[in-house]
Amino acid sequence: MLINFTLNHKSVTIDAPPDITLLTLLRDYLGLTGTKEGCAIGECGACAVMLDGRLVNSCLTLAPQVSGRELVTIEGISQPDGRPNDLQENFIEYGAVQCGYCIPGMVLAGEALLKRNPNPTRQQIRRAISGNLCRCTGYQQIVDAIEATAKDRTAHAKS
Ligand code: FES
Ligand code: FES
C-alpha cells in the first residue's frame, strides 16, 4: 500500500506492506538506521520517534499509522548543515553517550519533553526518559544534558 506522510519535514510517499512496523519501514524501506531496535516489544525505547510531537515506540506502531501525520526521527533534528543540534551537543558535552545504542531514543525523548515543557524539573526529566533504558551511563549525565539544554534554550528565548 502507499503510505503518505511527513518525514523529517519533507513529504514522502512509500509503497510498503501494511503489516510491517514503523521501525521496519524506517530502517529497511527508508534507510533511516538511526532508529534502533532493542527489545522489539515496547520496553526499551531504543526505537523511539516523534509522531505529531509525541514520543512513540516505532516497534509497536504499524507503518500505516503514520499516514497523514508528521514523523521526526533522529535524522530530522540536526542543524540544516547536518551538525548535531544543541541537545545532541550537550549529550556529548556532559558525557551522556557511551555505547550510543539508546541515544537516538533518549535524545528524542528529551526533545519531546522540551517541546511540551521547556523548563522541566530534574524529576520531570527522569519521568520523561523513564521508558528509555540505558545500560551504560547510569542516566545522571543524560538528565544533566537535557537540563542544560532546557536552561540554554530558555535563556536564549529571553534574550
Ligand atoms: S525496540 Fe521498541 S521499545 Fe525496545
Ligand atoms: S549509552 Fe549504552 S545503552 Fe545508553
Side-chain angles (χ1 to χ4, degrees):
M1 71 179 286
L2 288 181
I3 305 171
N4 303 294
F5 62 110
T6 302
L7 174 60
N8 296 334
H9 322 294
K10 290 189 186 132
S11 180
V12 297
T13 301
I14 180 98
D15 192 6
D19 59 348
I20 60 168
T21 65
L22 176 56
L23 179 59
T24 299
L25 183 78
L26 289 170
R27 290 183 58 87
D28 297 350
Y29 287 74
L30 291 160
L32 294 179
T33 54
T35 305
K36 302 301 180 205
E37 178 170 345
C39 64
I41 56 170
E43 291 188 351
C44 74
C47 66
V49 293
M50 274 201 288
L51 188 56
D52 292 337
R54 295 180 67 96
L55 199 69
V56 300
N57 286 330
S58 61
C59 72
L60 294 186
T61 306
L62 282 173
Q65 287 178 266
V66 299
S67 293
R69 300 174 74 184
E70 192 151 336
L71 184 74
V72 175
T73 68
I74 193 66
E75 290 87 352
I77 65 158
S78 48
Q79 298 186 48
D81 62 3
R83 283 183 300 135
N85 79 358
D86 54 348
L87 178 57
Q88 292 171 302
E89 290 284 10
N90 276 332
F91 266 66
I92 298 164
E93 175 78 20
Y94 283 81
V97 181
Q98 289 188 28
C99 82
Y101 205 80
C102 71
I103 297 303
M106 283 290 185
V107 167
L108 288 174
E111 287 292 355
L113 170 65
L114 297 180
K115 214 175 181 49
R116 65 177 189 277
N117 179 1
N119 203 8
T121 63
R122 286 181 75 81
Q123 191 175 359
Q124 287 169 329
I125 295 171
R126 281 194 207 98
R127 200 174 307 131
I129 62 167
S130 61
N132 297 72
L133 302 183
C134 176
R135 65 186 177 181
C136 306
T137 65
Y139 301 98
Q140 203 63 22
Q141 303 94 317
I142 292 172
V143 175
D144 292 344
I146 296 172
E147 183 182 45
T149 306
K151 286 187 177 149
D152 291 349
R153 287 184 185 179
T154 304
H156 193 254
K158 281 184 188 152
S159 64

